[in-house]
Amino acid sequence: MITTKILFKDGIDKRKDFLVAQNVFNELVTFMSETETQNRLADTHKLHAKSGEIQEIILSKTMELGFTSEKNGLFNNLSVKQLRPDYFLKLDNKSGIIMEVERGKTIANNMDLLDIWKCHICKEANFLFLIIPNIRQTATGQNIIFNTVERRMSTFFKTENYTNVDGVFLIGY
């Protein structure tokens, strides 16, 4: 089952780039909710699976939506030039979407926080699509991922904590 949440700054919900990002998000969620996609995700999302295996499932849809895989050059103006998002979509001259697909290290290695930081420092992106497990099976049990990431990300959408990221779109698989 797909779980979603959109976190955004006050007052941007009528802005054109936000509405475009929301439409792209809705198309991706619809694709990920289809029975065939759900079955592939369920078959793949097992102990020791890699995020690249999850990316393969959604690759055709991300390309159809106009995303570029592992876009180079987004961080050339910074000392961390080697950073690359999993996917990037330019919306207009001032706006874009970084999409990151996570699996095992989402909260264990704070990858969700790295992803929002990456979007925060990228001059070409102000929206983050974060595709994460709802629950991650481990050798010793389960970790609830989606709710933890939602709680952590919501901190950045309190007025006093705003960053350069205007919205985070969470998709739990």
Side-chain angles (χ1 to χ4, degrees):
M1 181 175 99
I2 297 298
T3 308
T4 64
K5 180 71 176 190
I6 302 173
L7 304 163
F8 56 91
K9 291 179 179 176
D10 290 336
I12 71 155
D13 54 327
K14 303 271 188 284
R15 221 171 63 194
K16 183 181 177 187
D17 62 339
F18 176 81
L19 295 172
V20 171
Q22 191 172 32
N23 285 336
V24 171
F25 175 78
N26 290 338
E27 284 192 51
L28 188 57
V29 168
T30 298
F31 170 78
M32 291 181 70
S33 299
E34 292 173 359
T35 302
E36 180 183 339
T37 308
Q38 283 288 288
N39 291 341
R40 289 181 68 199
L41 286 167
D43 290 345
T44 304
H45 181 54
K46 308 246 188 231
L47 194 60
H48 305 300
K50 307 273 187 273
S51 61
E53 295 171 296
I54 302 297
Q55 285 182 32
E56 279 297 315
I57 295 169
I58 64 168
L59 182 63
S60 64
K61 188 61 176 181
T62 58
M63 296 298 113
E64 178 186 312
L65 292 169
F67 283 90
T68 304
S69 179
E70 304 241 342
K71 174 134 174 74
N72 288 310
L74 291 175
F75 302 92
N76 280 347
N77 62 321
L78 302 169
S79 62
V80 287
K81 295 174 180 27
Q82 72 281 6
L83 283 178
R84 290 186 319 268
D86 290 338
Y87 302 98
F88 175 75
L89 176 64
K90 187 80 170 157
L91 297 177
D92 59 31
N93 289 337
K94 300 179 290 185
S95 187
I97 301 167
I98 285 178
M99 182 181 351
E100 296 288 345
V101 180
E102 301 298 348
R103 224 222 41 94
K105 300 183 291 184
T106 308
I107 58 175
N109 286 355
N110 296 314
M111 295 306 288
D112 58 333
L113 298 177
L114 172 66
D115 294 336
I116 196 166
W117 173 77
K118 208 185 291 187
C119 191
H120 169 69
I121 66 170
C122 182
K123 291 197 181 299
E124 295 187 47
N126 56 326
F127 298 110
L128 174 64
F129 284 17
L130 197 50
I131 300 174
I132 55 176
N134 286 314
I135 296 171
R136 179 177 170 250
Q137 186 66 42
T138 67
T140 57
Q142 293 182 339
N143 289 332
I144 297 173
I145 304 295
F146 187 90
N147 294 345
T148 301
V149 172
E150 179 183 0
R151 179 180 48 78
R152 288 161 54 136
M153 290 294 131
S154 67
T155 304
F156 296 103
F157 293 93
K158 293 182 176 154
T159 308
E160 66 272 17
N161 299 328
Y162 278 173
T163 67
N164 293 339
V165 181
D166 290 336
V168 171
F169 296 72
L170 301 174
I171 303 175
Y173 59 88

